[in-house]
Amino acid sequence: MNERETLKINADGHLEIGGADAVKLAEEFGTPLYVFDEKHIRDMMRVYKRAVDVEYGGNGLVLYASKAFSCEAVYAIAKSENIGVDVVSGGELYTAIKAGFPTDKIYMHGNNKLVRELELALANGVGCIVVDSYKEADILDELAAARGVKQRVLIRTNPGVEAHTHEFIQTARTDSKFGFSISDGAAEQITKHVLSKNNLVLRGYHCHIGSQIFEKSSFALAAEKVMDFIALMKEKLGFEVAELNIGGGFGVWYNDDDPKLRLTDYYGYVKTLIAAVKSKAKEHNISKPYLLLEPGRSIIGEAGVTLYTVGAIKDIPGIKKYVAVDGGMFDNPRYALYQSKYTVLLANRANEECTEKVSIAGKCCESGDLIAVNVPLPAANSGDILAVLTTGAYNYSMASNYNRNFIPAAVLVTEGKAEYIIRPQTYEDLVRNDVLPDRLK
Ligand SMILES: *Cc1c(COP(=O)(O)O)cnc(C)c1O
């Protein structure tokens, strides 16, 4: 397996992303700019697919969890890699359809899917809908009946394994807006309910235990708990499960508090959880279910870098030095939301030693508009190009037009060449949906 080589420093001392000089990208496309390395994305999709092929005889499907980064190009890449995708809204589904993604390989999630979202899914033959409430099961059954179709569904369960960044806990009952708890009988009750629906075909169960998880055993434990439940449902209800969807959540490197995983490590995660599924199938004497994995962050996270131009620098002696950039919480709200950690560097002076600790501030009118706090950097000057690493997942997809700033463009780099996958916005885009009633003119 070739290792991913997304980031390099070239002979000019500039950061390179997928073989493209970041300083030149900033000149050509402007900043802020999201940059994605296509090879990295494909390598990650392939390692998961290969693990399912080799370790499980190909009896499964990798789904790219597209809420991590959704745009037409990424669905086209997933399609060409022969994997599936999951979507969590009508908008993501529409984007996948527009990109020509085969709808039978789309799984749809959501704790409160709207009727129009379910309609869109049914009208386009979405492969599977992951049911997360009684109401949804009832509505979906009616909508399917009206169309004369039988819709494949899974039930979202809570196996009582909760994972946090570097650790996980087992709980008797999970406090979550998602899913039906296995331990308290809720998952069994909804199973009976869905089985009673004439227009729904219950294929099995889904679980997703969290995100940014590094603990191998947490995935295996979740798989074991759901497999035990599958055996129980066979025994109690005579229900034979065809599919098990184990969710996503594999961690990525953001800064040096995180392990830097290799492709073989990701392969290892899948191998471990597949071993758990196999051994439980044997123990309970049940057939091995068709297996689904839903990695999002780990496919796209480290493939992305955001480039900014340094502007104002404010040194408050003895307190903090703020280095302000031309982006902020409108292109990356993750620090503001949950104090996420990032690694930053000066793309035009990538070889220089870090001599100070600074905080990277955005340009929004909000004190909490920060990208990173107390991170090492060489003494930055106005005009330097600042790169924030590992911004491929949950950055563009969480971006907004706060303060009527532009959501930045995104480029995809392939063998050193970059092209737009998301065009830059214009002022005209910002007022496109505004309405000025005559009486206010
Ligand atoms: C968010 C999510 C994923 C992907 O999680 P990552 O941590 O990005 O891998 C997969 N499945 C479901 C249901 C999700 O909500």
Side-chain angles (χ1 to χ4, degrees):
M1 260 179 271
N2 280 334
E3 264 321 310
R4 301 164 299 166
E5 293 177 335
T6 290
L7 303 177
K8 261 186 228 152
I9 298 174
N10 67 19
D12 295 332
H14 293 177
L15 176 69
E16 253 183 38
I17 306 153
D21 184 310
V23 179
K24 291 197 179 124
L25 290 175
E27 273 168 22
E28 186 181 348
F29 295 97
T31 60
L33 181 71
Y34 298 111
V35 183
F36 288 87
D37 175 19
E38 180 172 345
K39 182 171 180 301
H40 187 123
I41 300 169
R42 290 187 186 275
D43 284 349
M44 288 306 303
M45 290 177 174
R46 281 174 201 177
V47 76
Y48 285 121
K49 184 170 191 310
R50 202 162 84 107
V52 173
D53 287 348
V54 174
E55 304 295 329
Y56 207 57
N59 182 31
L61 184 65
V62 176
L63 307 172
Y64 164 60
S66 69
K67 75 173 191 280
F69 176 60
S70 172
C71 70
E72 289 182 47
V74 80
Y75 293 109
I77 293 173
K79 177 184 174 183
S80 73
E81 292 296 332
N82 278 314
I83 65 170
V85 297
D86 83 40
V87 298
V88 299
S89 73
E92 287 179 4
L93 175 56
Y94 179 86
T95 310
I97 293 168
K98 183 130 187 294
F101 199 85
T103 55
D104 59 325
K105 282 193 192 163
I106 300 179
Y107 279 62
M108 186 171 206
H109 292 288
N111 69 306
N112 184 29
K113 301 177 196 75
L114 308 178
V115 172
R116 68 171 143 80
E117 293 175 322
L118 293 171
E119 289 270 28
L120 185 69
L122 286 168
N124 288 281
V126 159
C128 190
I129 296 177
V130 183
V131 170
D132 203 349
S133 74
Y134 281 86
K135 181 119 206 279
E136 181 188 348
D138 296 347
I139 293 172
L140 191 57
D141 184 53
E142 283 170 28
L143 295 176
R147 289 181 177 273
V149 297
K150 306 263 182 245
Q151 178 62 49
R152 291 179 165 209
V153 299
L154 296 179
I155 288 170
R156 180 157 184 164
T157 66
N158 261 322
V161 178
E162 262 184 70
H164 303 281
T165 305
H166 290 283
E167 55 195 48
F168 69 96
I169 51 167
Q170 286 187 66
T171 54
R173 191 183 164 153
T174 317
D175 173 7
S176 168
K177 70 171 185 171
F178 295 111
F180 294 90
S181 174
I182 284 177
S183 62
D184 68 1
E188 179 178 343
Q189 287 311 116
I190 183 76
T191 298
K192 288 184 196 158
H193 188 72
V194 172
L195 285 172
S196 76
K197 300 289 180 186
N198 288 328
N199 307 290
L200 303 182
V201 181
L202 181 58
R203 298 276 298 163
Y205 298 102
H206 170 270
C207 72
H208 171 70
I209 57 171
S211 202
Q212 186 60 359
I213 302 164
F214 289 104
E215 195 67 57
K216 251 188 195 172
S217 50
S218 59
F219 298 105
L221 183 65
E224 284 167 7
K225 297 227 166 181
V226 185
M227 284 298 284
D228 286 343
F229 177 66
I230 287 172
L232 187 71
M233 289 305 95
K234 185 180 176 191
E235 190 187 309
K236 285 179 93 168
L237 309 177
F239 168 51
E240 297 241 19
V241 162
E243 285 189 23
L244 168 59
N245 184 331
I246 209 72
F250 309 99
V252 300
W253 176 89
Y254 283 102
N255 73 357
D256 289 335
D257 293 342
D258 300 318
K260 201 155 201 168
L261 301 184
R262 300 165 61 85
L263 289 173
T264 47
D265 296 317
Y266 289 104
Y267 188 99
Y269 279 103
V270 181
K271 187 174 174 175
T272 303
L273 84 85
I274 283 175
V277 170
K278 282 181 176 169
S279 101
K280 279 289 175 185
K282 203 165 182 188
E283 176 190 327
H284 294 300
N285 194 24
I286 54 176
S287 46
K288 292 198 286 280
Y290 187 74
L291 188 70
L292 297 132
L293 304 172
E294 298 176 324
R297 187 193 306 271
S298 55
I299 284 179
I300 203 85
E302 290 181 55
V305 171
T306 309
L307 301 179
Y308 301 99
T309 302
V310 172
I313 294 168
K314 195 166 289 180
D315 197 358
I316 309 170
I319 299 190
K320 248 194 200 118
K321 185 167 180 180
Y322 287 101
V323 173
V325 294
D326 51 354
M329 63 192 291
F330 60 92
D331 65 75
N332 183 359
R334 293 187 70 254
Y335 183 84
L337 273 177
Y338 19 68
Q339 283 77 57
S340 306
K341 303 272 194 296
Y342 284 101
T343 297
V344 306
L345 54 93
L346 294 180
N348 55 325
R349 298 159 54 195
N351 276 326
E352 286 185 30
E353 212 179 306
C354 295
T355 51
E356 51 190 35
K357 288 212 163 177
V358 301
S359 294
I360 310 299
K363 66 183 286 294
C364 295
C365 290
E366 182 95 31
S367 300
D369 172 29
L370 301 167
I371 301 277
V373 172
N374 287 326
V375 286
L377 207 65
N381 300 312
S382 182
D384 280 336
I385 303 300
L386 184 106
V388 179
L389 308 184
T390 316
T391 57
Y394 306 110
N395 275 228
Y396 173 78
S397 62
M398 287 186 164
S400 75
N401 286 120
Y402 183 51
N403 287 173
R404 290 231 150 168
N405 285 299
F406 300 137
I407 293 176
V411 295
L412 185 68
V413 176
T414 307
E415 288 170 7
K417 295 213 165 45
E419 56 200 332
Y420 278 127
I421 51 173
I422 293 164
R423 259 198 304 271
Q425 292 187 324
T426 62
Y427 284 126
E428 190 49 41
D429 290 330
L430 298 178
V431 294
R432 192 173 303 285
N433 293 334
D434 286 16
V435 178
L436 187 56
D438 275 342
R439 65 185 181 81
L440 294 180
K441 281 177 186 159

